[in-house]
Amino acid sequence: MKLLSCNGKSIHRFVHTLTAFVSPLRWDRVRNRVYDENFYWPAELYKNGTLKLVFSDKNKNRYLLNIAKQDTVTYLTKKSNEYGYFSQTDTVITHYFEKAGIFYAKIPAMREELGDTVKRRLVDVFRDHQVKSVVIDIRGNGGGSDNTYGKFLSKLVQDTLKKKVVVARNFSPYIQTHYHINKDSVLNNATQTFDPGIPILKSQAMYYIRQDFNFVVPDSVTLPFEGKIYVLQDKFIYSSASNLSSLAKNSKQLVSIGETPDLLGGLQASTLMIMLPYSKFIFRVEPQIDLTDIKNVDDIFQNHVEYPVQYSIDHLYLRTTTQEDIYGKDFLQKHDPMFGKVVELEQQK
């Protein structure tokens, strides 16, 4: 069913009031509004008693659901698979699809030893088979080290994967002290500026760091491969996994498929940890925003997938309740819409 309203407000107006309670809210760049599927979690919402939700079914019939803080929930169907960050186990999953000539690798996190594993299996497959295309599945991958994907992509890419990186960093007194900078040091630094020559956020005092960066350089000895490298992503990618998605936009050989995270990225700044002296409450603060390749302010969300593929409600239900291996060959071929898009694009070639 479709959720229409909460506590007498249209659902989108209600979610818009939660900026102080839900972190982080996601940004719907198409409809220009914030959203969060778990908007009902904050305890503050139940201080006044009951959450009143109005739903509509396919026949436009309306239903009222009241949720009070003392209520409990019983699920009719047991959930078999998680949908979120790091939702897979810590193992690499690889397959070779003989008929299509596709090598597939699912990477749960950007840990360098997992990149080594993919590289070894990739070399083994190339030894015995003709590989026409490669699929790198980073759904649910919360990041880690950029060296992880560099370990195996360096055997496949024909050109260096690089970007002219531009990041914006807060120019607050705390940041100035932490990084030992001031106005003069920024003006006299070749890689730092107050005028980056691109769209910027007006509400924040910031300085900008510019740097040409090579993310992946081809090995001196590469595998015999000239096909496409497809990157499958959902909204639960972050950090170096997000970087890989952004690299696909700037490469003819890499192609991104799936969903956008709808979150701001910081491009690997060292996260600041601040502890209050008496309560010992800890703040974890990301000090910068990635502005690389932006043409307008909306572009700061990065991860502009080339082929958007969203899960339907029916597929999400299947994906979270099935007893099949959702990263197994059968499920990928029969049910997975993102892998299905890969097959479609390869057939068009």
Side-chain angles (χ1 to χ4, degrees):
M1 292 188 287
K2 182 178 180 180
L3 180 57
L4 302 179
S5 67
C6 178
N7 289 359
K9 292 183 179 180
S10 68
I11 186 57
H12 296 297
R13 282 183 57 219
F14 182 82
V15 173
H16 190 72
T17 67
L18 302 181
T19 53
F21 300 137
V22 178
S23 178
L25 282 169
R26 297 180 185 270
W27 181 256
D28 185 336
R29 65 189 82 183
V30 176
R31 299 174 181 84
N32 201 37
R33 63 192 181 199
V34 292
Y35 73 95
D36 187 274
E37 290 93 340
N38 299 324
F39 70 92
Y40 49 84
W41 279 7
E44 289 86 348
L45 301 182
Y46 299 92
K47 285 183 177 179
N48 295 326
T50 304
L51 210 61
K52 300 178 180 180
L53 303 173
V54 177
F55 293 86
S56 172
D57 65 17
K58 295 178 180 179
N59 297 319
K60 306 299 182 182
N61 297 315
R62 294 198 174 196
Y63 303 86
L64 175 63
L65 174 64
N66 293 333
I67 303 177
K69 58 186 177 183
Q70 69 270 22
D71 287 341
T72 58
V73 175
T74 301
Y75 292 98
L76 298 180
T77 304
K78 182 179 179 181
K79 185 164 64 170
S80 302
N81 303 292
E82 296 296 326
Y83 177 55
Y85 294 106
F86 300 113
S87 52
Q88 184 205 343
T89 63
D90 59 355
T91 59
V92 167
I93 299 172
T94 57
H95 306 295
Y96 177 69
F97 295 85
E98 291 82 0
K99 184 177 180 181
I102 297 174
F103 174 82
Y104 168 92
K106 174 70 176 74
I107 308 176
M110 291 300 179
R111 301 205 312 271
E112 293 191 33
E113 65 273 19
L114 300 185
D116 287 325
T117 299
V118 174
K119 181 179 177 179
R120 287 195 301 271
R121 296 184 186 180
L122 187 66
V123 171
D124 289 344
V125 169
F126 266 85
R127 187 179 296 117
D128 301 322
H129 302 280
Q130 181 184 7
V131 178
K132 298 178 181 178
S133 61
V134 171
V135 175
I136 306 301
D137 192 339
I138 57 172
R139 286 176 284 187
N141 189 317
S145 170
D146 287 297
N147 293 332
T148 304
Y149 58 80
K151 286 179 176 290
F152 55 85
L153 286 183
S154 61
K155 304 293 291 184
L156 297 171
V157 296
Q158 298 174 331
D159 300 308
T160 298
L161 301 181
K162 57 186 178 182
K163 290 196 295 184
K164 294 182 180 295
V165 172
V166 180
V167 295
R169 184 179 288 169
N170 279 340
F171 195 63
S172 66
Y174 182 88
I175 295 294
Q176 292 180 52
T177 301
H178 182 82
Y179 289 105
H180 307 290
I181 61 168
N182 57 34
K183 184 176 181 180
D184 289 338
S185 69
V186 171
L187 293 174
N188 293 321
N189 191 309
T191 63
Q192 298 176 358
T193 181
F194 289 109
D195 184 16
I198 57 176
I200 61 176
L201 301 174
K202 295 180 180 179
S203 60
Q204 204 73 19
M206 308 188 98
Y207 72 105
Y208 305 87
I209 305 169
R210 296 181 294 195
Q211 181 183 9
D212 293 348
F213 194 82
N214 294 335
F215 285 83
V216 180
V217 178
D219 283 350
S220 57
V221 179
T222 58
L223 294 168
F225 180 73
E226 297 181 355
K228 296 293 186 182
I229 302 168
Y230 298 98
V231 179
L232 306 188
Q233 63 179 79
D234 57 15
K235 66 178 65 176
F236 301 107
I237 63 171
Y238 190 68
S239 184
S240 54
S242 183
N243 286 348
L244 177 56
S245 168
S246 294
L247 283 172
K249 180 188 176 185
N250 298 310
S251 168
K252 292 182 180 180
Q253 193 173 10
L254 273 66
V255 179
S256 56
I257 296 174
E259 297 177 313
T260 59
D262 296 335
L263 297 171
L264 292 180
L267 199 68
Q268 278 69 63
S270 296
T271 305
L272 305 179
M273 306 294 286
I274 305 170
M275 179 184 289
L276 297 182
Y278 300 111
S279 67
K280 305 303 180 184
F281 193 92
I282 296 175
F283 291 90
R284 184 177 181 271
V285 182
E286 170 64 82
Q288 67 185 32
I289 296 174
D290 182 9
L291 301 184
T292 304
D293 290 334
I294 72 168
K295 301 295 186 296
N296 55 65
V297 176
D298 288 348
D299 292 337
I300 62 178
F301 287 95
Q302 303 291 341
N303 303 131
H304 302 276
V305 291
E306 295 162 85
Y307 293 94
V309 175
Q310 284 192 316
Y311 295 139
S312 67
I313 294 297
D314 289 337
H315 179 76
L316 271 177
Y317 179 81
L318 171 65
R319 194 174 191 83
T320 53
T321 60
T322 182
Q323 296 299 312
E324 291 186 63
D325 179 0
I326 59 175
Y327 299 113
K329 292 181 75 172
D330 288 344
F331 191 90
L332 288 168
Q333 288 180 303
K334 294 178 182 178
H335 304 295
D336 194 306
M338 294 186 193
F339 189 81
K341 189 64 178 181
V342 172
V343 175
E344 176 190 327
L345 293 173
E346 283 294 290
Q347 290 175 343
Q348 291 176 1
K349 286 167 54 182

